[in-house]
């Protein structure tokens, strides 16, 4: 919807997810598959930071993007011996996007895993906090939210989940196939 309603704007999506068990690559593949249901296409790229000891060429030093890109970063790309952190390439990218007038849409998957770094007893701005400062829109997704937070939460109740109303587009426990199509419009 953001891309559909802002076709003339410069937009880049930044997605952070945990690096466990190939999750960033799975996230990328699902977004690519999802485009089959959309009227437009966008580039989806999983960005991995090389370690400072495994640089192969000059391209390893930079994070490249284009307008309307969806960039997925696993949190392991931001360790102390990675190019994205050590050489501040991620922060440079965010500053450059901002300077060029891009809207940054930041999505944090598995947000309950935390996004703060504590060094010598002080919270410091890590890459996740940094991108939030420049993002036009922030979405933090989790299946296990912290009830003590004062962040607006969107919760799907069991009643809503089981609602048979065809106008409510939520996950359903009963299949709703080909909603809005007549039988003669369906091609197996």
């Amino acid at each position: 919807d953001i891309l559909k309603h802002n076709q003339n704007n410069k937009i880049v999506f930044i997605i952070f997810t945990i690096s466990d068990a190939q999750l960033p690559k799975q996230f990328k593949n699902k977004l690519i598959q999802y485009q089959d249901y959309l009227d437009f296409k966008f580039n989806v790229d999983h960005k991995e930071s090389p370690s400072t000891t495994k640089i192969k060429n000059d391209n390893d030093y930079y994070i490249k993007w284009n307008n309307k890109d969806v960039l997925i970063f696993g949190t392991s790309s931001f360790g102390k011996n990675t190019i994205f952190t050590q050489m501040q390439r991620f922060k440079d990218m965010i500053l450059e996007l901002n300077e060029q007038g891009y809207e940054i849409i930041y999505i944090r998957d598995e947000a309950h895993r935390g996004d703060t770094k504590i060094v010598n007893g002080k919270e410091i701005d890590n890459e996740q906090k940094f991108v939030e400062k420049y993002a036009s829109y922030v979405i933090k997704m989790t299946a296990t939210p912290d009830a003590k937070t004062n962040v607006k939460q969107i919760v799907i109740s069991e009643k809503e989940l089981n609602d048979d109303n065809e106008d409510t587009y939520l996950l359903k426990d009963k299949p709703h196939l080909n909603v809005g199509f007549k039988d003669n419009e369906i091609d197996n």
Side-chain angles (χ1 to χ4, degrees), residues 19-50:
S19 297
D20 295 356
Q22 304 294 318
L23 189 58
K25 289 177 185 169
Q26 291 171 6
F27 208 126
K28 175 185 175 181
N29 291 336
K30 287 295 180 189
L31 285 173
I32 290 169
Q33 290 172 4
Y34 180 67
Q35 291 184 67
D36 291 343
Y37 302 99
L38 302 175
D39 296 331
F40 52 87
K41 303 293 183 223
F42 48 87
N43 183 50
V44 182
D45 198 4
H46 171 214
K47 301 289 190 180
E48 293 181 273
S49 179

Coordinates of all heavy atoms in Angstrom, one line a residue, residues 19-50:
S19 N 19.0 -13.3 12.6 CA 19.8 -14.0 11.7 C 19.7 -15.5 11.9 O 20.4 -16.3 11.2 CB 21.3 -13.6 11.7 OG 21.4 -12.2 11.4
D20 N 18.8 -16.0 12.8 CA 18.7 -17.4 13.1 C 18.2 -18.2 11.9 O 17.2 -17.8 11.2 CB 17.7 -17.6 14.2 CG 18.2 -17.0 15.5 OD1 19.3 -16.5 15.6 OD2 17.4 -17.0 16.5
A21 N 18.8 -19.3 11.6 CA 18.3 -20.3 10.7 C 17.8 -19.8 9.4 O 16.7 -20.1 9.0 CB 17.2 -21.1 11.4
Q22 N 18.6 -19.0 8.7 CA 18.2 -18.6 7.4 C 17.0 -17.7 7.3 O 16.4 -17.5 6.2 CB 18.0 -19.8 6.4 CG 19.2 -20.7 6.4 CD 20.4 -20.1 5.7 OE1 20.3 -19.4 4.7 NE2 21.6 -20.3 6.3
L23 N 16.6 -17.1 8.4 CA 15.3 -16.3 8.4 C 15.4 -15.1 7.4 O 14.4 -14.9 6.7 CB 15.0 -15.8 9.8 CG 13.7 -15.1 10.0 CD1 12.5 -16.0 9.6 CD2 13.5 -14.6 11.4
P24 N 16.5 -14.4 7.3 CA 16.5 -13.3 6.3 C 16.3 -13.8 4.9 O 15.5 -13.1 4.1 CB 17.9 -12.7 6.4 CG 18.3 -13.0 7.8 CD 17.7 -14.4 8.1
K25 N 16.9 -14.9 4.5 CA 16.7 -15.4 3.1 C 15.2 -15.9 2.9 O 14.6 -15.7 1.9 CB 17.6 -16.5 2.9 CG 19.1 -16.0 2.7 CD 20.1 -17.2 2.5 CE 21.5 -16.6 2.5 NZ 22.5 -17.6 2.5
Q26 N 14.6 -16.5 4.0 CA 13.2 -16.9 3.9 C 12.3 -15.7 3.7 O 11.4 -15.7 2.9 CB 12.8 -17.7 5.1 CG 13.5 -19.1 5.2 CD 13.2 -19.7 6.6 OE1 12.5 -19.2 7.4 NE2 13.9 -20.9 6.8
F27 N 12.6 -14.6 4.5 CA 11.9 -13.4 4.4 C 11.9 -12.8 3.0 O 10.9 -12.5 2.4 CB 12.5 -12.4 5.4 CG 11.5 -11.4 5.9 CD1 11.4 -11.2 7.3 CD2 10.8 -10.5 5.1 CE1 10.5 -10.2 7.8 CE2 9.9 -9.6 5.6 CZ 9.8 -9.4 6.9
K28 N 13.1 -12.8 2.4 CA 13.3 -12.3 1.0 C 12.4 -13.2 0.1 O 11.7 -12.6 -0.8 CB 14.8 -12.4 0.6 CG 15.0 -12.1 -0.8 CD 16.5 -12.3 -1.2 CE 16.7 -12.0 -2.7 NZ 18.0 -12.2 -3.1
N29 N 12.5 -14.5 0.2 CA 11.8 -15.4 -0.8 C 10.3 -15.2 -0.6 O 9.6 -15.2 -1.6 CB 12.2 -16.8 -0.5 CG 13.6 -17.1 -1.0 OD1 14.2 -16.4 -1.8 ND2 14.2 -18.1 -0.4
K30 N 9.8 -15.0 0.6 CA 8.3 -14.7 0.8 C 7.9 -13.4 0.2 O 6.8 -13.3 -0.5 CB 8.0 -14.8 2.3 CG 8.0 -16.1 2.9 CD 6.9 -17.0 2.3 CE 7.0 -18.4 2.9 NZ 6.1 -19.3 2.2
L31 N 8.7 -12.4 0.3 CA 8.4 -11.1 -0.3 C 8.4 -11.2 -1.8 O 7.5 -10.6 -2.5 CB 9.3 -10.0 0.2 CG 9.1 -9.5 1.6 CD1 10.2 -8.5 2.0 CD2 7.7 -8.8 1.7
I32 N 9.3 -11.9 -2.4 CA 9.3 -12.1 -3.8 C 8.1 -12.8 -4.3 O 7.4 -12.5 -5.3 CB 10.6 -12.8 -4.3 CG1 11.8 -11.9 -4.1 CG2 10.5 -13.3 -5.7 CD1 13.2 -12.6 -4.2
Q33 N 7.7 -13.9 -3.6 CA 6.5 -14.6 -3.9 C 5.2 -13.8 -3.8 O 4.3 -13.9 -4.6 CB 6.3 -15.9 -3.0 CG 7.4 -17.0 -3.3 CD 7.3 -18.1 -2.3 OE1 6.4 -18.1 -1.4 NE2 8.2 -19.0 -2.3
Y34 N 5.2 -12.9 -2.8 CA 4.1 -12.1 -2.5 C 3.8 -11.1 -3.7 O 2.6 -10.7 -3.9 CB 4.3 -11.3 -1.2 CG 3.2 -10.4 -0.8 CD1 1.9 -10.9 -0.5 CD2 3.4 -9.0 -0.8 CE1 0.9 -10.0 -0.1 CE2 2.3 -8.1 -0.5 CZ 1.1 -8.7 -0.1 OH 0.1 -7.8 0.2
Q35 N 4.8 -10.7 -4.4 CA 4.6 -9.8 -5.5 C 3.7 -10.4 -6.6 O 3.1 -9.6 -7.4 CB 6.0 -9.5 -6.1 CG 6.8 -8.6 -5.2 CD 8.1 -8.2 -5.9 OE1 8.1 -7.4 -6.8 NE2 9.2 -8.7 -5.4
D36 N 3.5 -11.7 -6.7 CA 2.6 -12.3 -7.6 C 1.2 -11.7 -7.4 O 0.3 -11.8 -8.3 CB 2.6 -13.8 -7.5 CG 3.9 -14.4 -8.0 OD1 4.7 -13.7 -8.7 OD2 4.1 -15.6 -7.7
Y37 N 0.9 -11.3 -6.2 CA -0.5 -10.8 -5.9 C -0.6 -9.3 -6.0 O -1.6 -8.7 -5.7 CB -0.8 -11.2 -4.5 CG -0.8 -12.7 -4.3 CD1 0.3 -13.3 -3.7 CD2 -1.8 -13.5 -4.7 CE1 0.4 -14.7 -3.6 CE2 -1.7 -14.9 -4.6 CZ -0.6 -15.5 -4.0 OH -0.5 -16.8 -3.9
L38 N 0.4 -8.6 -6.5 CA 0.5 -7.1 -6.5 C 0.5 -6.7 -8.0 O 0.9 -7.4 -8.9 CB 1.7 -6.6 -5.8 CG 1.8 -6.9 -4.3 CD1 3.2 -6.4 -3.8 CD2 0.7 -6.4 -3.5
D39 N 0.1 -5.4 -8.2 CA 0.0 -4.8 -9.5 C 1.4 -4.3 -9.9 O 1.5 -3.8 -11.0 CB -1.0 -3.7 -9.6 CG -2.4 -4.3 -9.4 OD1 -2.7 -5.4 -9.7 OD2 -3.2 -3.5 -8.9
F40 N 2.4 -4.3 -9.0 CA 3.7 -3.7 -9.3 C 4.7 -4.6 -8.7 O 4.5 -5.4 -7.8 CB 3.8 -2.3 -8.8 CG 3.4 -2.2 -7.3 CD1 4.3 -2.4 -6.3 CD2 2.1 -1.9 -6.9 CE1 3.9 -2.4 -5.0 CE2 1.7 -1.9 -5.6 CZ 2.6 -2.1 -4.6
K41 N 5.9 -4.4 -9.1 CA 7.1 -5.2 -8.6 C 8.1 -4.2 -7.9 O 8.1 -3.1 -8.2 CB 7.8 -5.9 -9.8 CG 6.9 -6.8 -10.6 CD 6.4 -8.0 -9.8 CE 5.5 -8.9 -10.6 NZ 4.4 -9.4 -10.0
F42 N 8.9 -4.8 -7.1 CA 9.9 -4.1 -6.4 C 11.1 -5.1 -6.2 O 10.9 -6.3 -6.2 CB 9.5 -3.5 -5.1 CG 8.7 -4.5 -4.2 CD1 9.3 -5.3 -3.3 CD2 7.3 -4.5 -4.3 CE1 8.6 -6.2 -2.5 CE2 6.6 -5.4 -3.5 CZ 7.3 -6.2 -2.6
N43 N 12.3 -4.5 -6.0 CA 13.4 -5.3 -5.8 C 13.6 -5.7 -4.3 O 13.4 -4.8 -3.5 CB 14.7 -4.6 -6.3 CG 15.9 -5.4 -6.1 OD1 16.0 -6.6 -6.6 ND2 16.9 -4.9 -5.5
V44 N 13.8 -6.9 -4.0 CA 14.0 -7.4 -2.7 C 15.5 -7.9 -2.6 O 15.8 -8.7 -3.4 CB 13.1 -8.5 -2.2 CG1 13.3 -8.9 -0.8 CG2 11.6 -8.0 -2.5
D45 N 16.2 -7.4 -1.6 CA 17.6 -7.9 -1.5 C 18.0 -8.1 -0.1 O 17.7 -7.3 0.8 CB 18.5 -6.8 -2.1 CG 19.9 -7.3 -2.5 OD1 20.2 -8.5 -2.3 OD2 20.7 -6.4 -2.9
H46 N 18.6 -9.3 0.2 CA 19.1 -9.6 1.5 C 20.6 -9.1 1.5 O 21.4 -9.6 0.8 CB 19.0 -11.1 1.7 CG 19.7 -11.5 3.0 ND1 20.4 -12.8 3.1 CD2 19.9 -10.9 4.2 CE1 20.9 -12.9 4.2 NE2 20.7 -11.8 4.9
K47 N 20.9 -8.2 2.4 CA 22.2 -7.6 2.5 C 23.0 -8.2 3.7 O 22.5 -8.3 4.8 CB 22.2 -6.1 2.7 CG 21.4 -5.3 1.7 CD 22.2 -5.3 0.4 CE 21.7 -4.4 -0.6 NZ 22.4 -4.3 -1.9
E48 N 24.1 -8.8 3.4 CA 25.0 -9.4 4.4 C 26.3 -8.6 4.4 O 26.9 -8.4 3.4 CB 25.2 -10.9 4.1 CG 24.0 -11.7 4.2 CD 24.3 -13.2 3.9 OE1 24.3 -13.5 2.8 OE2 24.6 -13.9 4.9
S49 N 26.7 -8.3 5.6 CA 28.0 -7.6 5.8 C 29.2 -8.6 5.8 O 29.1 -9.5 6.6 CB 28.0 -6.8 7.0 OG 29.3 -6.1 7.2
P50 N 30.2 -8.4 5.0 CA 31.3 -9.2 5.2 C 32.1 -8.9 6.4 O 32.0 -7.7 6.9 CB 32.2 -8.9 3.9 CG 31.7 -7.6 3.4 CD 30.3 -7.4 3.9

